[in-house]
Protein backbone atom coordinates (compact mmCIF):
# COMPACT_ATOMS: atom_id res chain seq x y z
CA UNK A 1 0.00 0.00 0.00
CA UNK A 2 2.74 2.45 0.93
CA UNK A 3 4.67 1.48 -2.20
CA UNK A 4 1.67 2.41 -4.35
CA UNK A 5 1.37 5.65 -2.38
CA UNK A 6 4.95 6.62 -3.23
CA UNK A 7 4.56 5.62 -6.88
CA UNK A 8 1.52 7.90 -7.09
CA UNK A 9 3.62 10.76 -5.78
CA UNK A 10 6.32 10.00 -8.32
CA UNK A 11 3.68 10.29 -11.03
CA UNK A 12 2.74 13.72 -9.74
CA UNK A 13 -0.56 13.12 -7.91
CA UNK A 14 -1.06 15.14 -4.74
CA UNK A 15 -1.55 13.94 -1.19
CA UNK A 16 -3.19 16.58 0.97
CA UNK A 17 -1.18 17.49 4.05
CA UNK A 18 -2.59 20.30 6.19
CA UNK A 19 -0.66 23.57 5.94
CA UNK A 20 2.41 24.54 3.97
CA UNK A 21 4.68 23.39 6.79
CA UNK A 22 3.16 19.89 6.53
CA UNK A 23 1.61 17.89 9.33
CA UNK A 24 4.78 15.79 9.48
CA UNK A 25 6.71 18.74 10.90
CA UNK A 26 5.48 17.91 14.41
CA UNK A 27 6.97 14.42 14.25
CA UNK A 28 10.33 13.32 15.63
CA UNK A 29 12.62 14.39 14.13
CA UNK A 30 10.99 17.50 12.65
CA UNK A 31 11.87 18.05 9.00
CA UNK A 32 11.60 21.84 9.16
CA UNK A 33 15.14 23.25 9.18
CA UNK A 34 16.65 19.95 10.25
CA UNK A 35 20.29 19.07 9.62
CA UNK A 36 22.07 16.02 8.30
CA UNK A 37 23.56 15.44 11.74
CA UNK A 38 20.11 15.54 13.36
CA UNK A 39 18.70 13.09 10.84
CA UNK A 40 21.68 10.80 11.25
CA UNK A 41 21.26 10.80 15.03
CA UNK A 42 17.56 9.98 14.71
CA UNK A 43 18.37 7.12 12.35
CA UNK A 44 21.03 5.69 14.65
CA UNK A 45 18.77 5.99 17.70
CA UNK A 46 16.03 4.16 15.75
CA UNK A 47 13.60 7.05 16.18
CA UNK A 48 13.00 6.93 12.44
CA UNK A 49 13.96 4.75 9.49
CA UNK A 50 15.25 5.75 6.08
CA UNK A 51 11.99 4.50 4.57
CA UNK A 52 9.99 6.72 6.88
CA UNK A 53 12.17 9.69 5.97
CA UNK A 54 11.56 9.09 2.28
CA UNK A 55 7.81 8.93 2.84
CA UNK A 56 7.74 12.07 4.94
CA UNK A 57 9.73 14.07 2.42
CA UNK A 58 7.50 12.74 -0.36
CA UNK A 59 4.49 14.00 1.60
CA UNK A 60 6.11 17.44 1.81
CA UNK A 61 6.70 17.41 -1.93
CA UNK A 62 3.02 16.59 -2.44
CA UNK A 63 1.75 19.33 -0.13
CA UNK A 64 4.19 22.12 -1.01
CA UNK A 65 5.59 21.40 -4.47
CA UNK A 66 2.63 19.74 -6.22
CA UNK A 67 -0.15 21.44 -4.24
CA UNK A 68 -0.20 24.39 -1.85
CA UNK A 69 2.33 26.99 -3.05
CA UNK A 70 3.12 24.78 -6.07
CA UNK A 71 6.82 25.53 -6.21
CA UNK A 72 7.42 23.08 -9.08
CA UNK A 73 10.95 22.58 -7.82
CA UNK A 74 10.95 18.78 -7.98
CA UNK A 75 10.71 17.65 -11.57
CA UNK A 76 10.48 13.96 -10.65
CA UNK A 77 10.46 11.72 -7.59
CA UNK A 78 12.49 8.54 -7.70
CA UNK A 79 10.21 5.47 -7.81
CA UNK A 80 13.13 3.42 -6.43
CA UNK A 81 13.68 5.67 -3.39
CA UNK A 82 11.83 3.44 -0.96
CA UNK A 83 13.66 0.34 -2.16
CA UNK A 84 17.00 2.13 -1.74
CA UNK A 85 15.96 3.21 1.76
CA UNK A 86 14.85 -0.31 2.67
CA UNK A 87 18.25 -1.70 1.70
CA UNK A 88 19.99 0.98 3.77
CA UNK A 89 17.73 0.21 6.73
CA UNK A 90 18.76 -3.43 6.51
CA UNK A 91 22.41 -2.36 6.60
CA UNK A 92 21.71 -0.18 9.62
CA UNK A 93 19.95 -3.06 11.38
CA UNK A 94 23.18 -5.03 10.94
CA UNK A 95 25.02 -2.04 12.43
CA UNK A 96 26.69 -1.19 9.12
CA UNK A 97 26.73 2.57 8.57
CA UNK A 98 28.29 4.10 5.47
CA UNK A 99 28.80 7.52 7.00
CA UNK A 100 26.91 10.72 7.83
CA UNK A 101 24.74 10.52 4.71
CA UNK A 102 23.50 6.96 5.40
CA UNK A 103 19.73 6.95 4.83
CA UNK A 104 19.54 10.72 4.19
CA UNK A 105 17.27 11.81 1.28
CA UNK A 106 18.99 14.05 -1.26
CA UNK A 107 17.68 15.72 -4.43
CA UNK A 108 19.89 16.18 -7.50
CA UNK A 109 19.56 18.51 -10.44
CA UNK A 110 18.04 17.07 -13.60
CA UNK A 111 21.22 17.49 -15.62
CA UNK A 112 23.13 14.83 -13.66
CA UNK A 113 22.87 11.38 -15.21
CA UNK A 114 21.31 8.50 -13.30
CA UNK A 115 21.08 4.97 -14.69
CA UNK A 116 17.71 4.28 -13.11
CA UNK A 117 14.02 4.86 -13.71
CA UNK A 118 14.40 8.65 -13.64
CA UNK A 119 15.00 10.91 -16.63
CA UNK A 120 18.12 12.99 -17.20
CA UNK A 121 16.72 15.71 -19.42
CA UNK A 122 18.30 19.08 -18.52
CA UNK A 123 14.65 20.16 -18.53
CA UNK A 124 14.38 19.66 -22.29
CA UNK A 125 11.82 17.47 -24.01
CA UNK A 126 14.58 16.56 -26.47
CA UNK A 127 16.28 14.35 -23.87
CA UNK A 128 13.18 12.65 -22.50
CA UNK A 129 13.72 8.92 -22.90
CA UNK A 130 17.52 9.06 -22.90
CA UNK A 131 18.94 5.88 -21.38
CA UNK A 132 22.06 6.69 -19.43
CA UNK A 133 24.32 3.62 -19.42
CA UNK A 134 25.66 4.44 -15.95
CA UNK A 135 25.43 6.92 -13.12
CA UNK A 136 27.38 10.15 -13.18
CA UNK A 137 30.39 10.01 -10.85
CA UNK A 138 28.68 12.38 -8.40
CA UNK A 139 25.71 10.01 -8.20
CA UNK A 140 28.02 7.03 -7.72
CA UNK A 141 29.60 8.85 -4.79
CA UNK A 142 26.23 9.71 -3.27
CA UNK A 143 25.04 6.11 -3.49
CA UNK A 144 28.31 4.82 -2.02
CA UNK A 145 27.94 7.30 0.87
CA UNK A 146 24.49 5.91 1.65
CA UNK A 147 22.42 8.87 0.46
CA UNK A 148 18.92 8.12 -0.81
CA UNK A 149 18.28 9.69 -4.22
CA UNK A 150 14.83 11.10 -3.50
CA UNK A 151 14.37 12.60 -6.95
CA UNK A 152 15.49 15.25 -9.39
CA UNK A 153 14.97 18.99 -9.43
CA UNK A 154 13.80 21.35 -12.11
CA UNK A 155 16.26 23.81 -13.62
CA UNK A 156 16.64 26.58 -16.12
CA UNK A 157 16.45 24.51 -19.30
CA UNK A 158 19.90 23.51 -20.59
CA UNK A 159 21.31 25.33 -17.53
CA UNK A 160 20.49 28.74 -19.09
CA UNK A 161 22.73 28.34 -22.14
CA UNK A 162 20.06 27.89 -24.82
CA UNK A 163 18.89 31.41 -25.60
CA UNK A 164 18.98 35.10 -24.79
CA UNK A 165 16.27 36.53 -22.52
CA UNK A 166 15.87 33.18 -20.78
CA UNK A 167 13.66 32.77 -17.73
CA UNK A 168 15.47 31.22 -14.78
CA UNK A 169 13.72 28.22 -13.31
CA UNK A 170 11.72 27.49 -16.46
CA UNK A 171 12.03 24.34 -18.50
CA UNK A 172 9.73 22.85 -21.11
CA UNK A 173 9.58 19.64 -19.11
CA UNK A 174 9.22 21.06 -15.59
CA UNK A 175 7.48 24.41 -16.06
CA UNK A 176 8.30 27.43 -13.90
CA UNK A 177 9.92 26.93 -10.50
CA UNK A 178 8.89 29.61 -7.99
CA UNK A 179 10.77 31.24 -5.15
CA UNK A 180 9.38 30.00 -1.80
CA UNK A 181 10.05 33.38 -0.15
CA UNK A 182 7.80 35.20 -2.62
CA UNK A 183 6.08 33.15 -5.28
CA UNK A 184 6.16 35.92 -7.89
CA UNK A 185 9.94 36.20 -7.59
CA UNK A 186 12.58 34.26 -9.48
CA UNK A 187 14.32 31.30 -7.82
CA UNK A 188 17.33 32.31 -9.93
CA UNK A 189 19.18 29.65 -11.83
CA UNK A 190 20.16 27.47 -13.27
CA UNK A 191 19.97 25.24 -10.17
CA UNK A 192 16.56 26.73 -9.47
CA UNK A 193 14.77 23.59 -8.32
CA UNK A 194 17.57 22.52 -6.01
CA UNK A 195 17.56 25.96 -4.39
CA UNK A 196 13.80 26.17 -3.92
CA UNK A 197 13.44 22.55 -2.77
CA UNK A 198 16.18 22.74 -0.14
CA UNK A 199 14.88 26.11 1.09
CA UNK A 200 11.39 24.60 1.45
CA UNK A 201 12.75 21.59 3.35
CA UNK A 202 11.64 19.12 0.67
CA UNK A 203 14.86 17.15 1.19
CA UNK A 204 17.78 17.03 3.57
CA UNK A 205 20.19 18.53 1.02
CA UNK A 206 20.54 19.15 -2.69
CA UNK A 207 23.06 19.04 -5.51
CA UNK A 208 23.31 21.79 -8.09
CA UNK A 209 25.71 22.55 -10.92
CA UNK A 210 27.40 25.80 -11.89
CA UNK A 211 29.17 27.31 -14.85
CA UNK A 212 28.80 30.90 -13.66
CA UNK A 213 26.44 31.58 -10.75
CA UNK A 214 24.16 28.59 -11.18
CA UNK A 215 24.72 27.31 -7.62
CA UNK A 216 25.67 30.47 -5.80
CA UNK A 217 22.95 32.76 -7.18
CA UNK A 218 19.95 30.48 -6.43
CA UNK A 219 21.51 29.65 -3.07
CA UNK A 220 21.71 33.38 -2.29
CA UNK A 221 18.10 34.19 -3.18
CA UNK A 222 16.85 31.10 -1.31
CA UNK A 223 18.79 31.75 1.93
CA UNK A 224 21.05 28.75 1.45
CA UNK A 225 24.69 27.85 1.69
CA UNK A 226 25.97 27.10 -1.79
CA UNK A 227 29.42 25.88 -2.75
CA UNK A 228 30.95 26.20 -6.19
CA UNK A 229 34.10 24.14 -5.61
CA UNK A 230 37.45 24.56 -7.28
CA UNK A 231 37.01 23.09 -10.77
CA UNK A 232 38.49 19.60 -10.48
CA UNK A 233 37.43 18.91 -6.90
CA UNK A 234 34.15 17.34 -8.04
CA UNK A 235 33.98 15.27 -11.22
CA UNK A 236 32.01 16.60 -14.20
CA UNK A 237 31.50 13.07 -15.54
CA UNK A 238 27.89 12.42 -16.53
CA UNK A 239 26.73 16.02 -16.17
CA UNK A 240 25.02 17.65 -19.16
CA UNK A 241 27.80 20.06 -20.11
CA UNK A 242 28.36 23.66 -20.99
CA UNK A 243 32.07 24.26 -20.37
CA UNK A 244 34.75 21.89 -19.14
CA UNK A 245 36.74 24.99 -18.13
CA UNK A 246 34.08 26.18 -15.68
CA UNK A 247 31.47 23.44 -15.03
CA UNK A 248 31.22 21.81 -11.63
CA UNK A 249 28.65 20.24 -9.34
CA UNK A 250 28.31 21.36 -5.74
CA UNK A 251 26.16 21.31 -2.59
CA UNK A 252 23.14 23.47 -1.83
CA UNK A 253 22.21 23.19 1.84
CA UNK A 254 20.69 25.03 4.79
CA UNK A 255 23.89 25.05 6.86
CA UNK A 256 27.62 25.19 6.22
CA UNK A 257 28.10 21.93 8.12
CA UNK A 258 25.61 20.15 5.84
CA UNK A 259 27.29 21.59 2.76
CA UNK A 260 30.69 20.45 4.03
CA UNK A 261 29.44 16.91 4.62
CA UNK A 262 27.89 16.76 1.17
CA UNK A 263 30.97 18.19 -0.55
CA UNK A 264 33.23 15.67 1.17
CA UNK A 265 30.95 12.88 -0.06
CA UNK A 266 30.95 13.88 -3.74
CA UNK A 267 34.55 15.13 -4.07
CA UNK A 268 37.47 12.97 -5.12
CA UNK A 269 39.56 11.89 -8.08
CA UNK A 270 37.79 10.31 -11.04
CA UNK A 271 39.62 8.47 -13.81
CA UNK A 272 37.06 9.77 -16.32
CA UNK A 273 37.71 13.44 -15.49
CA UNK A 274 41.36 14.41 -15.89
CA UNK A 275 40.84 17.70 -14.04
CA UNK A 276 40.20 15.84 -10.79
CA UNK A 277 43.77 14.52 -10.72
CA UNK A 278 44.98 17.98 -9.75
CA UNK A 279 43.36 17.74 -6.32
CA UNK A 280 45.64 14.91 -5.17
CA UNK A 281 47.95 16.23 -2.46
CA UNK A 282 46.28 19.66 -2.54
CA UNK A 283 43.10 19.11 -0.56
CA UNK A 284 42.20 17.04 2.47
CA UNK A 285 38.71 15.61 2.01
CA UNK A 286 38.45 14.92 5.74
CA UNK A 287 39.15 18.60 6.42
CA UNK A 288 36.08 19.54 4.39
CA UNK A 289 33.93 17.83 7.01
CA UNK A 290 35.31 20.04 9.81
CA UNK A 291 34.08 23.55 8.95
CA UNK A 292 35.32 25.17 12.21
CA UNK A 293 36.93 27.15 13.80
CA UNK A 294 34.39 29.45 15.41
CA UNK A 295 36.82 32.39 15.48
CA UNK A 296 38.03 34.75 12.77
CA UNK A 297 40.55 36.45 15.02
CA UNK A 298 43.33 37.93 12.89
CA UNK A 299 41.97 36.62 9.58
CA UNK A 300 42.54 39.13 6.76
CA UNK A 301 39.61 39.46 4.36
CA UNK A 302 39.44 41.68 1.29
CA UNK A 303 36.34 43.71 0.48
CA UNK A 304 35.72 43.25 -3.25
CA UNK A 305 33.44 46.26 -3.34
CA UNK A 306 33.56 46.55 -7.12
CA UNK A 307 31.33 43.45 -7.20
CA UNK A 308 28.79 44.90 -4.77
CA UNK A 309 26.57 46.90 -7.11
CA UNK A 310 24.50 49.88 -6.03
CA UNK A 311 21.39 48.32 -4.46
CA UNK A 312 20.79 50.30 -1.26
CA UNK A 313 19.32 47.39 0.72
CA UNK A 314 22.14 45.04 -0.29
CA UNK A 315 24.71 47.69 0.62
CA UNK A 316 23.18 48.00 4.09
CA UNK A 317 23.20 44.23 4.60
CA UNK A 318 26.82 44.06 3.41
CA UNK A 319 27.82 46.81 5.84
CA UNK A 320 26.18 44.85 8.66
CA UNK A 321 28.03 41.72 7.56
CA UNK A 322 31.35 43.56 7.62
CA UNK A 323 30.63 44.80 11.13
CA UNK A 324 29.89 41.23 12.24
CA UNK A 325 33.14 39.98 10.73
CA UNK A 326 35.11 42.72 12.48
CA UNK A 327 33.39 41.82 15.76
CA UNK A 328 34.63 38.26 15.23
CA UNK A 329 38.18 39.57 14.96
CA UNK A 330 38.64 39.69 11.20
CA UNK A 331 40.75 42.42 9.61
CA UNK A 332 39.00 43.91 6.58
CA UNK A 333 40.79 45.81 3.83
CA UNK A 334 39.57 47.31 0.58
CA UNK A 335 40.54 44.90 -2.19
CA UNK A 336 38.57 45.27 -5.43
CA UNK A 337 39.20 42.50 -7.95
CA UNK A 338 40.93 44.14 -10.95
CA UNK A 339 40.38 43.55 -14.66
CA UNK A 340 36.89 42.01 -14.41
CA UNK A 341 35.92 43.82 -17.61
CA UNK A 342 38.79 42.18 -19.52
CA UNK A 343 37.13 38.76 -19.69
CA UNK A 344 33.42 39.63 -19.77
CA UNK A 345 33.14 38.85 -23.49
CA UNK A 346 35.84 36.20 -23.69
CA UNK A 347 33.99 34.10 -21.12
CA UNK A 348 31.00 33.66 -23.42
CA UNK A 349 33.33 32.84 -26.33
CA UNK A 350 34.90 30.02 -24.30
CA UNK A 351 31.49 28.70 -23.22
CA UNK A 352 30.16 28.59 -26.78
CA UNK A 353 33.20 26.80 -28.20
CA UNK A 354 33.26 24.25 -25.38
CA UNK A 355 29.48 23.72 -25.48
CA UNK A 356 29.61 22.60 -29.10
CA UNK A 357 32.43 20.16 -28.38
CA UNK A 358 31.17 18.85 -25.03
CA UNK A 359 27.51 18.39 -25.96
CA UNK A 360 28.35 16.02 -28.78
CA UNK A 361 30.49 13.91 -26.45
CA UNK A 362 27.78 13.83 -23.78
CA UNK A 363 25.02 12.80 -26.19
CA UNK A 364 27.15 10.02 -27.63
CA UNK A 365 27.78 8.43 -24.22
CA UNK A 366 24.71 9.29 -22.14
CA UNK A 367 21.91 9.43 -24.71
CA UNK A 368 22.98 6.69 -27.14
CA UNK A 369 19.41 5.59 -27.84
CA UNK A 370 18.29 9.04 -29.04
CA UNK A 371 18.85 10.40 -32.58
CA UNK A 372 20.56 13.59 -31.37
CA UNK A 373 24.30 13.66 -32.00
CA UNK A 374 25.12 17.30 -31.48
CA UNK A 375 23.81 20.84 -31.12
CA UNK A 376 22.54 20.87 -34.70
CA UNK A 377 20.13 18.04 -33.88
CA UNK A 378 18.95 19.75 -30.69
CA UNK A 379 18.40 23.00 -32.59
CA UNK A 380 16.36 21.14 -35.19
CA UNK A 381 14.34 19.41 -32.46
CA UNK A 382 13.50 22.74 -30.84
CA UNK A 383 12.37 24.20 -34.15
CA UNK A 384 10.16 21.19 -34.78
CA UNK A 385 8.65 21.54 -31.29
CA UNK A 386 8.66 25.33 -31.13
CA UNK A 387 5.25 25.60 -29.46
CA UNK A 388 6.59 23.75 -26.42
CA UNK A 389 10.28 24.59 -26.45
CA UNK A 390 10.53 28.09 -27.89
CA UNK A 391 7.35 29.66 -26.54
CA UNK A 392 9.10 31.99 -24.07
CA UNK A 393 12.55 32.58 -25.57
CA UNK A 394 14.74 31.39 -28.40
CA UNK A 395 17.92 29.37 -28.90
CA UNK A 396 20.36 32.03 -30.07
CA UNK A 397 23.17 30.73 -27.88
CA UNK A 398 22.77 27.20 -29.21
CA UNK A 399 22.94 28.58 -32.73
CA UNK A 400 26.01 30.71 -32.00
CA UNK A 401 27.74 27.72 -30.42
CA UNK A 402 26.95 25.48 -33.38
CA UNK A 403 28.59 28.05 -35.67
CA UNK A 404 31.88 27.79 -33.77
CA UNK A 405 34.73 25.71 -35.05
CA UNK A 406 37.03 23.19 -33.34
CA UNK A 407 38.92 23.90 -30.12
CA UNK A 408 42.12 24.32 -32.14
CA UNK A 409 40.92 27.69 -33.46
CA UNK A 410 42.96 30.72 -32.32
CA UNK A 411 39.81 32.58 -31.27
CA UNK A 412 39.07 29.92 -28.65
CA UNK A 413 42.62 29.63 -27.40
CA UNK A 414 42.99 33.39 -27.07
CA UNK A 415 39.70 33.76 -25.21
CA UNK A 416 40.62 30.95 -22.80
CA UNK A 417 44.06 32.43 -22.14
CA UNK A 418 42.63 35.92 -21.63
CA UNK A 419 40.07 34.72 -19.10
CA UNK A 420 42.54 32.72 -17.07
CA UNK A 421 45.17 35.44 -17.11
CA UNK A 422 42.87 38.20 -15.86
CA UNK A 423 40.59 36.15 -13.59
CA UNK A 424 43.43 34.18 -11.98
CA UNK A 425 46.95 35.62 -12.26
CA UNK A 426 46.10 39.31 -12.56
CA UNK A 427 42.78 39.04 -10.75
CA UNK A 428 41.98 36.97 -7.68
CA UNK A 429 45.52 35.71 -7.08
CA UNK A 430 47.04 39.16 -7.50
CA UNK A 431 44.73 40.88 -5.04
CA UNK A 432 45.04 38.08 -2.46
CA UNK A 433 48.84 38.26 -2.67
CA UNK A 434 49.03 42.06 -2.68
CA UNK A 435 47.00 42.47 0.51
CA UNK A 436 48.05 39.18 2.20
CA UNK A 437 44.44 37.96 2.32
CA UNK A 438 42.91 34.60 3.13
CA UNK A 439 39.77 35.34 1.09
CA UNK A 440 37.67 38.01 -0.56
CA UNK A 441 34.11 38.95 0.43
CA UNK A 442 31.27 40.58 -1.50
CA UNK A 443 27.48 40.38 -1.71
CA UNK A 444 26.63 37.34 -3.83
CA UNK A 445 23.99 39.33 -5.68
CA UNK A 446 20.77 41.27 -5.24
CA UNK A 447 17.38 40.06 -4.03
CA UNK A 448 15.29 37.92 -6.36
CA UNK A 449 13.72 39.75 -9.29
CA UNK A 450 10.17 39.32 -10.56
CA UNK A 451 9.50 36.34 -12.81
CA UNK A 452 9.00 37.87 -16.25
CA UNK A 453 8.18 35.47 -19.11
CA UNK A 454 8.03 38.41 -21.54
CA UNK A 455 11.41 40.09 -20.96
CA UNK A 456 13.29 37.30 -19.24
CA UNK A 457 15.66 37.59 -16.31
CA UNK A 458 16.68 40.88 -14.71
CA UNK A 459 20.03 40.05 -13.15
CA UNK A 460 21.77 42.77 -11.17
CA UNK A 461 25.31 42.98 -9.79
CA UNK A 462 26.88 39.66 -8.96
CA UNK A 463 30.06 38.24 -7.45
CA UNK A 464 29.91 35.02 -9.46
CA UNK A 465 31.98 35.65 -12.59
CA UNK A 466 35.55 36.13 -11.26
CA UNK A 467 35.68 32.76 -9.43
CA UNK A 468 33.73 31.09 -12.23
CA UNK A 469 36.11 32.15 -14.99
CA UNK A 470 39.12 31.40 -12.77
CA UNK A 471 37.74 27.97 -11.79
CA UNK A 472 38.25 28.96 -8.14
CA UNK A 473 36.04 28.17 -5.13
CA UNK A 474 33.12 30.36 -4.12
CA UNK A 475 30.95 29.86 -1.02
CA UNK A 476 27.79 31.85 -0.33
CA UNK A 477 26.06 31.99 3.05
CA UNK A 478 22.87 33.83 4.13
CA UNK A 479 23.55 37.53 4.84
CA UNK A 480 20.02 38.59 5.79
CA UNK A 481 16.99 39.82 3.90
CA UNK A 482 16.07 42.88 1.86
CA UNK A 483 12.33 43.52 1.83
CA UNK A 484 11.73 39.97 2.99
CA UNK A 485 13.91 38.53 0.22
CA UNK A 486 17.15 36.70 1.10
CA UNK A 487 20.60 37.87 0.01
CA UNK A 488 23.92 36.09 0.45
CA UNK A 489 27.49 36.88 1.44
CA UNK A 490 30.23 35.45 -0.78
CA UNK A 491 33.62 34.11 0.29
CA UNK A 492 36.00 33.76 -2.68
CA UNK A 493 39.49 32.26 -2.64
CA UNK A 494 42.26 30.85 -4.76
CA UNK A 495 42.42 27.29 -6.13
CA UNK A 496 41.99 24.50 -3.55
CA UNK A 497 41.10 26.88 -0.71
CA UNK A 498 37.66 25.25 -0.41
CA UNK A 499 38.16 24.03 3.17
CA UNK A 500 39.39 27.45 4.30
CA UNK A 501 36.36 29.19 2.76
CA UNK A 502 34.07 26.76 4.55
CA UNK A 503 35.76 27.60 7.85
CA UNK A 504 35.28 31.33 7.28
CA UNK A 505 31.67 30.89 6.18
CA UNK A 506 30.94 28.65 9.16
CA UNK A 507 32.28 31.21 11.63
CA UNK A 508 30.17 33.95 10.07
CA UNK A 509 27.07 31.72 9.90
CA UNK A 510 27.33 30.66 13.53
CA UNK A 511 27.69 34.25 14.71
CA UNK A 512 24.84 35.71 12.63
CA UNK A 513 22.26 32.91 12.11
CA UNK A 514 20.60 34.70 9.17
CA UNK A 515 18.99 31.60 7.67
CA UNK A 516 15.18 31.76 8.01
CA UNK A 517 12.62 29.38 6.48
CA UNK A 518 10.37 30.64 3.67
CA UNK A 519 6.86 31.99 4.17
CA UNK A 520 5.46 31.20 0.68
CA UNK A 521 4.06 34.70 0.21
CA UNK A 522 1.98 35.01 -2.93
CA UNK A 523 3.60 38.34 -3.77
CA UNK A 524 6.70 40.17 -2.68
CA UNK A 525 4.93 43.49 -2.03
Amino acid sequence: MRRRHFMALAAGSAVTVPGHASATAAMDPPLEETTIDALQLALRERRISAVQLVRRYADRVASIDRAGPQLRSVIELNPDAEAIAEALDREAAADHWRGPLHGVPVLVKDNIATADAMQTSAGSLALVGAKAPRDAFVVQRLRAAGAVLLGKTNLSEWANIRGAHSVSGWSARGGQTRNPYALDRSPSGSSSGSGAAVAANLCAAGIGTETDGSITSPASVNALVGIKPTVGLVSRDGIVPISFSQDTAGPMCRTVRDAALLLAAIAGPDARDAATRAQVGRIDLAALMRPGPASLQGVRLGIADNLAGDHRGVAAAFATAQAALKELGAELVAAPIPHTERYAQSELEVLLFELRHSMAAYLKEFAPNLPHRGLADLIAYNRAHADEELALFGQELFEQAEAKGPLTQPAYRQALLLGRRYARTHGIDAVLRKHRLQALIAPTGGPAWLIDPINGDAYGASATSPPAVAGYPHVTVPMGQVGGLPVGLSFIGTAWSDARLLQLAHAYEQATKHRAPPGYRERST
Side-chain angles (χ1 to χ4, degrees):
M1 182 67 180
R2 291 298 301 183
R3 178 70 173 169
R4 290 198 297 273
H5 163 75
F6 190 81
M7 291 293 288
L9 290 174
S13 61
V15 175
T16 301
V17 180
H20 294 166
S22 169
T24 61
M27 298 181 183
D28 182 30
L31 298 189
E32 286 277 358
E33 300 302 292
T34 194
T35 65
I36 291 173
D37 286 335
L39 292 178
Q40 188 62 211
L41 181 62
L43 287 163
R44 288 176 181 261
E45 292 180 346
R46 306 294 195 265
R47 287 184 280 121
I48 198 167
S49 68
V51 169
Q52 289 170 327
L53 275 179
V54 165
R55 291 171 179 170
R56 287 177 59 190
Y57 277 118
D59 284 346
R60 286 188 65 85
V61 171
S63 65
I64 295 174
D65 207 64
R66 304 288 195 262
Q70 294 185 332
L71 297 180
R72 302 186 187 94
S73 63
V74 179
I75 201 168
E76 182 176 10
L77 282 171
N78 184 2
D80 299 323
E82 280 199 16
I84 295 169
E86 287 170 359
L88 291 166
D89 282 335
R90 287 193 295 270
E91 291 184 19
D95 205 29
H96 173 66
W97 297 90
R98 301 190 186 193
L101 293 184
H102 188 111
V104 173
V106 174
L107 287 168
V108 300
K109 189 176 177 181
D110 182 39
N111 63 347
I112 303 175
T114 54
D116 55 17
M118 293 189 290
Q119 303 286 337
T120 304
S121 71
S124 172
L125 300 177
L127 290 190
V128 171
K131 298 297 183 184
R134 57 181 178 83
D135 288 334
F137 185 77
V138 166
V139 173
Q140 295 174 28
R141 297 282 285 185
L142 287 171
R143 294 192 198 275
V148 179
L149 264 65
L150 182 66
K152 290 193 172 181
T153 55
N154 197 20
L155 69 159
S156 311
E157 186 173 314
W158 294 111
N160 256 348
I161 194 64
R162 195 193 77 191
H165 309 295
S166 63
V167 182
S168 282
W170 180 89
S171 72
R173 181 172 170 235
Q176 178 64 56
T177 298
R178 304 203 286 177
N179 188 311
Y181 289 86
L183 301 178
D184 62 338
R185 294 276 169 168
S186 175
S188 191
S190 64
S191 303
S192 316
S194 294
V198 175
N201 292 275
L202 304 186
C203 57
I207 299 289
T209 67
E210 174 160 330
T211 305
D212 185 338
S214 287
I215 289 172
T216 47
S217 181
S220 176
V221 303
N222 284 286
L224 298 178
V225 175
I227 304 175
K228 185 203 81 70
T230 300
V231 172
L233 180 57
V234 177
S235 174
R236 287 83 49 89
D237 168 67
I239 298 174
V240 179
I242 295 177
S243 161
F244 49 81
S245 295
Q246 296 181 203
D247 288 351
T248 182
M252 302 178 73
C253 300
R254 292 180 292 273
T255 69
V256 174
R257 164 70 175 170
D258 283 358
L261 291 173
L262 195 55
L263 180 59
I266 63 174
D270 175 18
R272 289 189 173 94
D273 185 348
T276 63
R277 292 198 295 265
Q279 68 183 270
V280 177
R282 293 183 175 178
I283 196 152
D284 179 1
L285 295 183
L288 294 175
M289 299 172 66
R290 301 188 298 271
S295 172
L296 290 176
Q297 191 66 44
V299 172
R300 289 177 61 83
L301 300 175
I303 305 169
D305 50 6
N306 61 319
L307 306 181
D310 58 3
H311 192 290
R312 185 174 64 176
V314 175
F318 188 40
T320 301
Q322 292 175 57
L325 291 166
K326 289 179 181 177
E327 183 69 22
L328 290 168
E331 299 176 20
L332 303 186
V333 298
I337 300 176
H339 306 301
T340 55
E341 75 287 348
R342 298 293 296 268
Y343 49 83
Q345 185 58 40
S346 66
E347 178 187 11
L348 179 59
E349 188 81 348
V350 169
L351 302 190
L352 295 177
F353 267 101
E354 293 185 356
L355 173 64
R356 182 179 185 272
H357 172 86
S358 300
M359 188 63 73
Y362 176 87
L363 293 171
K364 181 178 180 180
E365 182 170 6
F366 286 95
N369 61 308
L370 296 183
H372 316 308
R373 288 296 168 263
L375 278 178
D377 294 328
L378 298 176
I379 291 167
Y381 179 93
N382 291 336
R383 287 173 179 162
H385 300 83
D387 289 347
E388 296 169 295
E389 284 288 352
L390 304 180
L392 299 185
F393 56 92
Q395 54 180 341
E396 300 90 346
L397 295 178
F398 266 17
E399 291 166 349
Q400 291 171 29
E402 174 58 21
K404 299 295 182 185
L407 299 181
T408 54
Q409 285 201 352
Y412 166 71
R413 293 180 176 273
Q414 290 168 5
L416 183 63
L417 178 63
L418 183 69
R420 289 180 171 175
R421 175 184 299 159
Y422 287 106
R424 294 178 180 177
T425 309
H426 299 311
I428 293 172
D429 288 337
V431 74
L432 290 174
R433 184 173 56 254
K434 176 182 178 181
H435 298 287
R436 297 177 289 110
L437 304 171
Q438 291 198 22
L440 299 164
I441 60 168
T444 308
W449 55 94
L450 290 168
I451 296 171
D452 187 348
I454 304 299
N455 298 303
D457 287 334
Y459 289 108
S462 168
T464 66
S465 288
V469 175
Y472 287 177
H474 177 188
V475 176
T476 182
V477 65
M479 187 173 69
Q481 295 191 356
V482 175
L485 298 171
V487 290
L489 175 67
S490 288
F491 292 85
I492 298 167
T494 190
W496 313 112
S497 63
D498 306 66
R500 180 191 305 160
L501 297 187
L502 286 169
Q503 291 173 353
L504 302 175
H506 182 260
Y508 173 78
E509 171 200 55
Q510 293 302 299
T512 57
K513 303 286 188 180
H514 283 306
R515 162 71 193 170
Y520 311 102
R521 292 180 295 161
E522 284 294 332
R523 297 189 180 279
S524 50
T525 56

